[in-house]
Amino acid sequence: MKRILTIAASDSGGGAGIQADIKTITVLGGYGLCAVTALTAQNTLNVSGVHAVPAAFVQAQLDSVLADIGADAAKTGMLYNAEIIKAVALAIDKYCIPSLVVDPVMRSKGGSHLLEDAAVAAFKELLLPRALLITPNLDEAAVLCGSPVDTLDSMKDACRAIHALGAKNVLVKGGHLEGDCIDLLFDGADFYDFARPRFATKNTHGTGCTFSAAIATGLGQGMPLREAVSRAKEFVSTAIRFSLPLGSGHGPTNHAAWTDRNAQFYTCGLELEAAVTALKQARIGRLMPEIQSNLGFALAAAEAPDDVMAYPGRIIRFEDAIMTVAAPRPGAS
C-alpha cells in the first residue's frame, strides 16, 4: 500500500481539507498520512475562524511522519502563511518527496481568505518550483498569473504563465465556466483537456481538495500523470454526482460513492446471476419470446444506460432451456 501525505488544514465540517484528503486516499487504496497546517471553524455556509498551527510544529509533524514512515507522494492544501510554506519546502527537500501535487488553496467558497496576501510571493518562490503538478481553479490561476482567467483561451495563457514560474505541470480547473466541466493540463509543451458533464448541485464543497488528493494517490501508486489526472477526474465527478445534501449551504461531495457504486455493481451482478440460475432450473425456455429476453438491475440513483446491469446478447432459449452468452455487465442492454 502506497503512502500518501497530505499537508493541509482541518475542516470541522468534514467536507474539505485533511478530512476530504484522507477519505479520498483511503477509498483509492492508499495509506493516508497528514501534517495539519491550521484548524478551521467552518460548516457548509462559511469559515468563521482560522487558527494557524505554528510553523515549527508543522515542521515537527513532517519530521515525525517522514523520518519514520516516509511518503510515496504528497499534496499540499491550505498553507495559510509564509512561515508554514517555508517549513513545507524544507521538508520536501530534506526527505526527497518524489511527487508533489500543490493545490493553491487561497479562498473558501464563501470568500474567506485561506492564504495570507503576504504569503503569495513565498508560495511562488518556494513551492511552485518543487511541484510536479499545481492545480489552481480559475480564481487561483488569476492570482498566480496576474490576469483574469475566464475562458478556455485564457486558461491556456494561465497554464503557460504558471509553468514559467517553475511548476513542471499545470492543471487549471475550469469548473467555474459555463457548460461541461473542462480542466486543462499543460506539461510545458502540449495541452490535454479532461471534460465531464456538469451536475445540477450546489453540494461541491471540497472538490479541489478531493481532486488533488486523488491525483497524488495515483502518482504515488505509479500512474503516469495523465492517467492519474483522468482517474481523479472520474473520482471527483462521481463524488459530485452523488454529493450529500448536508447543511444549509454548499454540502460536501460523497467520497464513498466511488466504492459504493462498484459495490452496487457487484451486488446487482450476483442478484442477476441468482435469478437466471433459478430460471434455468425451472426450464422455462418455451415461455421465452422469439425476440429473446433480458433482465436488468439498476443502481440506486441510476441516470444512464451504464447505471444498469444486464446480460450482453440477451437471455436466449434453446428448446426448453434458457442460456446466457456472457456474465452481466453495466450498459449491456
Side-chain angles (χ1 to χ4, degrees):
M1 182 175 286
K2 299 302 182 180
R3 306 154 298 173
I4 314 299
L5 171 65
T6 169
I7 309 167
S10 170
D11 172 8
S12 57
I18 290 287
Q19 288 81 353
D21 293 345
I22 294 294
K23 292 172 189 176
T24 300
I25 293 163
T26 301
V27 166
L28 289 175
Y31 180 77
L33 310 164
C34 71
V36 180
T37 59
L39 305 177
T40 67
Q42 64 175 295
N43 52 29
T44 64
L45 294 170
N46 57 40
V47 178
S48 58
V50 174
H51 178 71
V53 173
F57 194 72
V58 173
Q59 184 68 60
Q61 293 177 76
L62 292 168
D63 284 336
S64 181
V65 168
L66 292 170
D68 176 36
I69 302 172
D72 298 293
K75 65 144 288 187
T76 64
M78 176 182 167
L79 300 179
Y80 196 63
N81 60 41
E83 290 72 25
I84 292 174
I85 291 171
K86 292 174 185 176
V88 172
L90 286 172
I92 292 164
D93 291 346
K94 181 178 179 180
Y95 296 101
C96 302
I97 293 176
S99 298
L100 177 67
V101 177
V102 172
D103 182 15
V105 177
M106 295 180 178
R107 288 192 179 185
S108 69
K109 277 187 170 60
S112 300
H113 283 265
L114 304 179
L115 180 69
E116 292 180 345
D117 292 339
V120 174
F123 183 91
K124 290 181 178 180
E125 177 186 350
L126 298 175
L127 216 52
L128 282 187
R130 292 170 168 83
L132 174 64
L133 176 71
I134 181 170
T135 62
N137 61 28
L138 299 184
D139 293 337
E140 293 158 351
V143 171
L144 292 172
C145 74
S147 59
V149 183
D150 51 16
T151 65
L152 192 58
D153 285 340
S154 62
M155 286 171 67
K156 290 183 178 181
D157 292 339
C159 282
R160 295 187 186 96
I162 296 169
H163 184 270
L165 294 173
K168 297 176 182 66
N169 299 274
V170 182
L171 180 70
V172 174
K173 299 173 293 188
H176 294 161
L177 295 179
E178 297 295 326
D180 288 348
C181 296
I182 300 176
D183 303 326
L184 204 59
L185 175 65
F186 181 59
D187 63 6
D190 299 309
F191 289 96
Y192 306 92
D193 63 86
F194 299 83
R196 292 292 185 278
R198 184 179 301 277
F199 301 108
T201 177
K202 66 175 182 176
N203 302 315
T204 55
H205 180 54
T207 50
C209 304
T210 299
F211 196 11
S212 55
I215 295 171
T217 303
L219 292 172
Q221 292 168 333
M223 290 183 176
L225 178 59
R226 275 187 281 164
E227 183 181 343
V229 172
S230 181
R231 184 183 72 166
K233 180 72 171 179
E234 191 64 37
F235 180 87
V236 74
S237 294
T238 301
I240 294 170
R241 177 181 172 189
F242 298 101
S243 59
L244 303 171
L246 303 177
S248 303
H250 294 284
T253 62
N254 185 356
H255 300 89
W258 182 266
T259 49
D260 181 59
R261 183 173 168 79
N262 290 333
Q264 285 191 57
F265 276 132
Y266 177 73
T267 301
C268 287
L270 291 180
E271 295 284 354
L272 285 172
E273 289 182 336
V276 167
T277 296
L279 292 175
K280 287 179 178 178
Q281 292 171 347
R283 298 190 66 80
I284 51 92
R286 65 188 180 280
L287 301 178
M288 192 73 66
E290 289 291 340
I291 58 172
Q292 313 303 345
S293 188
N294 210 333
L295 291 176
F297 204 142
L299 305 190
E303 294 180 343
D306 283 348
D307 297 330
V308 180
M309 290 280 283
Y311 281 92
R314 301 192 173 196
I315 301 171
I316 61 176
R317 70 177 186 180
F318 179 71
E319 297 180 347
D320 227 15
I322 65 169
M323 307 167 69
T324 54
V325 298
R329 67 169 181 247
S333 177

